[in-house]
């Protein structure tokens, strides 16, 4: 078995069960392991630390599978880990798991680089690490077996693959060829996921609970849904009795999918507007338009901490204009899915936006991803989606 030996004192994070081993911490690698192969990780003292997947092309040169020396990373091991992840969803979400859920959430489920989402009878697999690529066939077979899903589609084309030195892989792995977007249900509403071309695996399952929350808040309100994508929030607002929804996105394809979702649910009352949210917010302000509820769910402005400053300006800008457009008593549902922006920083940015917009606002709720996107306690990087529900009391001056 090949070995990776750490520099003196660099074992601390592994002892706390953080799964990533950065190249700077490595003293040497013995035994010439192949990419994705399981290696033994040891401290400079020789003490065993973990079994890990070797990834020589990445800054994260190994990702730990297991911290027990007695463990054996084989097909049976993957079966157990996948089953454990699926059991958690069954326990927490119940029957909804069969309709739509994230079954496996990477590092936070002890499966670095492996994500699996379920849409009705189809499982979409997204792999992002050399170790995950190495075990692909087993993972596909096991997911099909454990879920009884008819179809397994691989959607490994995330940007991070380039940093890992891995080729994209978008392919049907099990079942009949897809005839179009896959229909599924969420919170009793009907949607479709375009597995091959949609964002992520086709839909933002992480926002499920926040869409349900919006539904309870929307009655009689004029809603502005910014960065609406395929209309998850828009559909939920109308289902909750919103008086009107203006939904904005820069992608014509996404808006067409949003239109299809409205039709699928027999909902009317939404205007779908193609445009750049940064400009649309200003235009709405110039037109003296106002709303009772604004949703801001932008794309990742800061994929890494290095880009946090530029991202902070963008978040500040949209939140500031959203506050300006809200009537007294109005609600702002605002999100950041940037790994590089912490919850604390996000709250500061939103506070600064309220101040500059000249409104008094309070946080009613702090929000995050739905529980099928857990955060392992030893892996704080798992907390990427941060949200705030704010209420505008009135003008500050
Ligand atoms: N709220 C959505 C997910 C949003 S994803 C949901 O719950 O499903 C982010 C969306 O922002 C994408 O659809 C993308 O097309 C859109 N987008 C990115 N930059 C934009 C911009 N400057 N103006 C408008 N839309 C933008």
């Amino acid at each position: 078995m090949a070995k990776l030996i750490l520099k003196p004192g660099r074992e601390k994070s592994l002892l706390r069960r953080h799964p990533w081993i950065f190249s700077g911490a490595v003293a040497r690698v013995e035994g010439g392991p192949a990419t994705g192969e399981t290696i033994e990780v040891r401290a400079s003292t020789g003490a065993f630390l973990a079994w890990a997947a070797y990834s020589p092309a990445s800054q994260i040169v190994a990702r730990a599978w297991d911290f027990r020396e007695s463990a054996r990373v084989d097909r049976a091991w993957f079966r157990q880990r996948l089953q454990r992840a699926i059991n958690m969803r069954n326990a927490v979400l119940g029957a909804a798991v069969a309709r739509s859920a994230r079954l496996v959430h990477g590092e936070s489920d002890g499966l670095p680089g492996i994500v699996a989402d379920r849409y009705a009878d189809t499982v979409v697999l997204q792999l992002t690490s050399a170790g995950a690529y190495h075990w692909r066939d087993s993972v596909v077979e096991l997911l099909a077996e454990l879920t009884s899903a008819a179809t397994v589609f691989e959607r490994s084309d995330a940007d991070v693959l380039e940093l890992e030195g891995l080729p994209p892989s978008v392919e049907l792995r099990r079942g009949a060829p897809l005839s179009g977007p896959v229909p599924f249900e969420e919170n009793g509403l009907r949607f479709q996921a375009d597995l091959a071309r949609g964002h992520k695996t086709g839909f933002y399952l992480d926002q499920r609970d926040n869409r349900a929350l919006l539904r309870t808040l929307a009655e009689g309100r004029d809603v502005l849904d910014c960065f609406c994508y395929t209309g998850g929030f828009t559909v939920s607002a109308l289902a909750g009795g919103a008086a009107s929804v203006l939904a904005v996105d820069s992608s014509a394809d996404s808006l067409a999918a949003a239109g299809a979702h409205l039709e699928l649910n027999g909902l009317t009352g939404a205007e779908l507007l193609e445009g750049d949210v940064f400009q649309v917010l200003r235009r709405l302000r110039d037109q003296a338009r106002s709303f009772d509820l604004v949703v801001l769910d932008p794309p990742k402005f800061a994929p890494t901490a290095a880009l946090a400053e530029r991202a902070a300006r963008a978040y500040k800008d949209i939140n500031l204009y959203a506050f300006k457009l809200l009537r007294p008593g109005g609600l702002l549902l605002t999100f950041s899915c940037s790994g590089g922006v912490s919850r604390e920083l996000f709250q500061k940015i939103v506070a600064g936006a309220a101040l500059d917009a000249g409104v008094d606002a309070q946080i009613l709720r702090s929000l995050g991803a739905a529980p099928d996107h857990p955060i392992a306690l030893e892996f704080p990087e798992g907390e990427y989606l941060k949200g705030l529900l704010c209420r505008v009391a009135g003008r500050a001056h």
Side-chain angles (χ1 to χ4, degrees), residues 199 204 211 227-229 233 249-251 275-278 297 299:
H199 294 183
Y204 286 84
R211 284 191 282 266
F227 309 96
C228 69
Y229 185 48
F233 282 109
D249 202 282
S250 56
S251 154
D276 178 351
V277 165
F278 291 86
D297 185 24

Side-chain angles (χ1 to χ4, degrees), residues 62-135:
R63 286 175 162 83
W65 291 124
D66 206 303
F67 299 95
R68 297 165 302 173
E69 189 163 12
S70 60
R72 252 188 63 200
V73 181
D74 55 12
R75 191 188 161 94
W77 183 93
F78 277 94
R79 172 196 286 275
Q80 209 176 30
R81 279 282 156 107
L82 292 168
Q83 185 69 69
R84 187 174 80 181
I86 293 168
N87 287 348
M88 185 279 263
R89 276 66 181 180
N90 289 336
V92 173
L93 300 184
V97 176
R99 295 190 276 274
S100 53
R102 173 151 296 190
L103 301 179
V104 182
H105 191 49
E107 274 76 350
S108 289
D109 279 308
L111 288 163
I114 303 178
V115 157
D117 287 344
R118 177 170 195 153
Y119 300 104
D121 218 12
T122 298
V123 171
V124 189
L125 182 63
Q126 188 155 67
L127 307 178
T128 51
S129 69
Y133 266 53
H134 184 82
W135 289 98

Side-chain angles (χ1 to χ4, degrees), residues 4 54 65 72 88 99 101 124 136 173 178 221 246 264 267 278 281-282 289 292 311 313 327 332 344 361:
L4 184 155
Y54 185 52
W65 291 124
R72 252 188 63 200
M88 185 279 263
R99 295 190 276 274
V124 189
R136 171 191 290 123
R173 296 282 172 205
L178 304 168
R221 293 187 186 255
L246 176 58
L264 263 180
L267 294 167
F278 291 86
L281 288 171
R282 285 172 168 75
R289 293 277 300 269
D292 303 302
R313 278 197 292 276
R327 299 172 187 145
L332 173 64
E344 194 188 354

Side-chain angles (χ1 to χ4, degrees), residues 199 202-208 211 225-234 248-252 254-255 273-280 295-301 335 337:
H199 294 183
F203 201 69
Y204 286 84
L205 292 173
D206 51 359
Q207 291 284 25
R208 180 190 315 108
R211 284 191 282 266
D225 179 7
C226 296
F227 309 96
C228 69
Y229 185 48
T230 61
F233 282 109
T234 290
V248 186
D249 202 282
S250 56
S251 154
S254 296
L255 290 172
L273 177 64
E274 186 181 335
D276 178 351
V277 165
F278 291 86
Q279 291 167 15
V280 169
V295 179
L296 293 176
D297 185 24
K300 230 185 274 175
F301 290 146
F335 297 97
C337 60

Side-chain angles (χ1 to χ4, degrees), residues 18 34 55 61 83 99 104 115 123 129 185 187 240 263 303 307 319 351 370 396:
H18 190 285
S55 181
V61 77
Q83 185 69 69
R99 295 190 276 274
V104 182
V115 157
V123 171
S129 69
E185 266 185 43
N187 299 327
E263 208 165 299
L307 295 168
N319 281 279

